[in-house]
Amino acid sequence: MLHHVSKRVGMTLLVILLAITINFLIPRAMPGDPIEQQMNQLSSSSAGSVGDVQAMVQSYRERLGLDKPLWRQYLNYLWALVQLDLGYSLVNFPERVSDVILAGLPWTVALLGTATLISFGVGTILGGLLAWPGSSHWIRTLGVPLILLSAVPYFILGILLMFLFGLTYPLFPVAGAYPFGFTPSWNFESVRLLFYHAVLPASSIILASIGTWAIAMRGMVISVRGEDYIMLAEAKGLPPRRVFFAYGLRNAMLPQLTHLALTLSHIVSGAILVEVIFAYPGIGYRLYQAIQAKDYFVVQGIVLLLSISIAVAMLVMDLIYPLIDPRIGTEKKS
């Protein structure tokens, strides 16, 4: 077991190092100088001369270490990452990239994490029931429209919900995570307002995702329905509910859990268009703002966070697979 864990951890660290290297090289391979572009944009709305702009560009390049050779920049970048330092925002200097990420991360995790877990739970059980003999008729009636909604992108469904329940019938707010001028705190009123503002964006994600989870789970349950252990459990006279959950659903869960791990690891980047449409202050909305403003260091920091989260999520799933299904061993038996 120790050999298995160390091998998986080593592979994950190698993947993370590769992601860090690619994340470092891509922005520097792009044409143009991001600092010079920012300074030129500032000078276009001021009376600064070209000489002043060039002096400011050189000063910022020296301060950010961009005047050094590429190999030196790479070593400095690795050392900064060890210290959890992602650098500075070009647009909002001297604000740090880590502060930008930490400001948006709780909103994204709360909204998308909760919405993903709800859609996973409902969709998985619904898909299993759709494939299981003897399920009630209303399950199949409910499953059809939810599966059809899986073909609608999150942002399209978000626009429809905004039009219906935010504009035509103004039941919920259409933008923001809380009212303008309101300062959230740990009390009932803040929780109520935060939940109230999250209803429409969360609903768009849940409604568009349930059908996807249900379709995947339905196919996997159908594939295990004829297995010997299912027939043996039924022959023993076990209750149908126990056969469904303990023998059918459990043995069909592994691919579904892998999909869940990948989906949860992607939420740090946010459902960008959903957050943009509802002006929700999460990571996805901040990534969109950084791309628009060409704030390369913020984009680089968010993409790096996404890459590391995916690698860590796959490592965790790889380590708990044998606990979920004992048939998966850590070593080959001779």
Side-chain angles (χ1 to χ4, degrees):
M1 177 62 72
L2 182 61
H3 173 72
H4 172 73
V5 172
S6 60
K7 181 180 177 181
R8 297 303 180 187
V9 170
M11 292 178 60
T12 301
L13 292 177
L14 183 61
V15 169
I16 291 176
L17 179 61
L18 181 61
I20 289 173
T21 304
I22 295 174
N23 194 47
F24 169 82
L25 292 175
I26 288 180
R28 287 159 178 81
M30 296 175 65
D33 188 328
I35 297 180
E36 186 173 358
Q37 292 177 10
Q38 292 296 327
M39 293 299 104
N40 287 331
Q41 289 179 7
L42 290 176
S43 66
S44 64
S45 58
S46 63
S49 66
V50 176
D52 294 333
V53 171
Q54 293 300 325
M56 292 175 65
V57 169
Q58 184 61 28
S59 175
Y60 274 106
R61 286 179 62 84
E62 292 176 358
R63 183 162 187 176
L64 297 174
L66 298 178
D67 59 328
K68 296 179 173 58
L70 190 62
W71 66 269
R72 182 75 181 187
Q73 293 183 41
Y74 180 65
L75 294 179
N76 291 340
Y77 181 63
L78 291 179
W79 177 244
L81 289 180
V82 171
Q83 298 176 308
L84 301 179
D85 183 6
L86 296 175
Y88 294 92
S89 168
L90 292 177
V91 176
N92 301 310
F93 186 86
E95 184 180 23
R96 291 188 172 273
V97 174
S98 56
D99 295 333
V100 176
I101 294 176
L102 290 177
L105 188 59
W107 298 103
T108 293
V109 171
L111 173 67
L112 300 181
T114 303
T116 299
L117 291 176
I118 291 175
S119 60
F120 167 79
V122 175
T124 297
I125 295 178
L126 177 64
L129 291 173
L130 287 174
W132 202 254
S135 297
S136 61
H137 179 71
W138 70 267
I139 291 290
R140 304 183 186 280
T141 303
L142 178 65
V144 173
L146 290 176
I147 290 176
L148 291 177
L149 283 177
S150 66
V152 182
Y154 294 162
F155 62 94
I156 296 295
L157 195 54
I159 293 174
L160 291 175
L161 292 176
M162 180 188 297
F163 175 76
L164 288 175
F165 302 108
L167 300 176
T168 305
Y169 305 100
L171 300 176
F172 300 100
V174 297
Y178 45 84
F180 180 76
F182 178 79
T183 302
S185 58
W186 293 103
N187 55 53
F188 175 77
E189 182 63 16
S190 294
V191 173
R192 186 189 69 81
L193 288 174
L194 294 177
F195 177 80
Y196 182 58
H197 279 72
V199 169
L200 289 185
S203 297
S204 66
I205 297 170
I206 292 172
L207 292 176
S209 301
I210 287 179
T212 302
W213 294 110
I215 291 172
M217 195 62 194
R218 180 178 179 275
M220 288 180 284
V221 171
I222 289 176
S223 67
V224 303
R225 241 173 51 189
E227 296 291 338
D228 293 340
Y229 51 82
I230 299 288
M231 298 175 63
L232 178 60
E234 292 174 342
K236 286 182 176 181
L238 296 179
R241 179 175 299 180
R242 182 179 176 186
V243 175
F244 173 70
F245 283 103
Y247 293 88
L249 210 61
R250 178 183 177 185
N251 288 285
M253 281 289 289
L254 286 182
Q256 196 83 332
L257 290 173
T258 303
H259 186 194
L260 175 64
L262 289 173
T263 303
L264 288 176
S265 63
H266 276 83
I267 67 173
V268 294
S269 65
I272 297 177
L273 292 178
V274 171
E275 291 189 355
V276 170
I277 289 171
F278 290 98
Y280 201 82
I283 288 293
Y285 186 59
R286 294 174 190 275
L287 177 61
Y288 169 76
Q289 290 179 317
I291 293 173
Q292 274 195 322
K294 297 183 180 179
D295 197 342
Y296 296 123
F297 290 160
V298 173
V299 175
Q300 181 177 268
I302 294 177
V303 171
L304 177 62
L305 180 62
L306 173 62
S307 302
I308 293 177
S309 63
I310 293 174
V312 172
M314 294 310 300
L315 172 64
V316 171
M317 289 306 303
D318 199 19
L319 294 180
I320 68 174
Y321 265 172
L323 302 178
I324 300 173
D325 191 341
R327 295 173 297 177
I328 300 178
T330 59
E331 295 182 359
K332 293 182 179 179
K333 296 180 180 180
S334 58

